[in-house]
Amino acid sequence: MKNSRRQFMILSAAGACTLALNGKVQAQAMVAETDPQAAALGYKPDASKVDKAKYAKYAAGQQCSSCALFQGKADAAAGPCSLFAGKQVAAKGWCSAYAKKA
């Protein structure tokens, strides 16, 4: 009985570690322009390549790092966005949900 309990504890610990590491890896995934939600919002990883005719709301200087939805550090190249759970956006990117930080 002790061996099976010990095995259970070891396997449980290993499983918990695997889940924790898997969550961290997924959080580092970048949003692709082809992602359905990104495409619907007109996300571009480089704000200078936004189609200004299609997205009249876009103004020069707008980028993810200055958006209220961007949750990354100010000097980071990428960071999480509240619109794309578990994924990161480029700090120099843009989407139509842009809202200037207060």
Side-chain angles (χ1 to χ4, degrees):
M1 194 77 164
K2 287 184 181 181
N3 281 342
S4 64
R5 185 180 299 165
R6 184 176 296 153
Q7 264 184 320
F8 173 77
M9 295 302 288
I10 290 170
L11 291 174
S12 295
C17 289
T18 301
L19 289 174
L21 290 174
N22 188 28
K24 187 168 180 90
V25 169
Q26 287 180 352
Q28 295 175 350
M30 293 294 289
V31 173
E33 287 183 60
T34 56
D35 180 275
Q37 185 174 1
L41 292 170
Y43 172 75
K44 295 287 182 191
D46 182 357
S48 67
K49 296 183 179 172
V50 172
D51 182 357
K52 293 163 189 75
K54 188 173 181 180
Y55 298 101
K57 180 183 171 186
Y58 173 77
Q62 292 181 346
Q63 58 185 24
C64 292
S65 63
S66 64
C67 178
L69 302 171
F70 186 74
Q71 299 169 341
K73 294 180 182 176
D75 60 343
C81 174
S82 58
L83 294 176
F84 304 104
K87 296 183 181 177
Q88 293 192 356
V89 294
K92 294 184 178 183
W94 184 88
C95 81
S96 63
Y98 176 85
K100 187 174 180 161
K101 282 185 183 177

